[in-house]
Amino acid sequence: MGIGLGVVLLLIGLVLTLGVVDLPASIDDVVATNTLGWIFIIVGILAIVLALVMNAQRTRQTTVIDERRVEPPR
């Protein structure tokens, strides 16, 4: 799950909520497309936020290299 999936869910939710596409009456009778659209919008926004948080945590790590040099005997 990443930013791409969140954007896709958000777009599907907007299409369903705004009624851009007319669905057949058989689907409209069974599924409340407006409610389903809002659910997709919320899940899409949540997916985008979680992906951004996970990426921020991943890039916050620091690497410490401990380099020890042994002096040659005299």
Side-chain angles (χ1 to χ4, degrees), residues 29-73:
D29 292 341
V30 176
V31 178
T33 55
N34 195 16
T35 304
L36 187 62
W38 280 108
I39 291 171
F40 278 146
I41 289 172
I42 292 169
V43 171
I45 291 172
L46 185 64
I48 292 170
V49 169
L50 285 175
L52 291 174
V53 168
M54 297 286 281
N55 284 338
Q57 287 179 351
R58 188 178 314 153
T59 58
R60 201 177 315 157
Q61 294 176 351
T62 58
T63 305
V64 176
I65 300 174
D66 188 18
E67 186 175 317
R68 298 180 185 183
R69 296 183 185 215
V70 179
E71 294 183 17

Side-chain angles (χ1 to χ4, degrees), residues 9-21 23 32-42:
L9 289 173
L10 186 64
L11 289 176
I12 291 172
L14 286 172
V15 166
L16 290 174
T17 302
L18 297 176
V20 175
V21 177
L23 297 175
T33 55
N34 195 16
T35 304
L36 187 62
W38 280 108
I39 291 171
F40 278 146
I41 289 172
I42 292 169

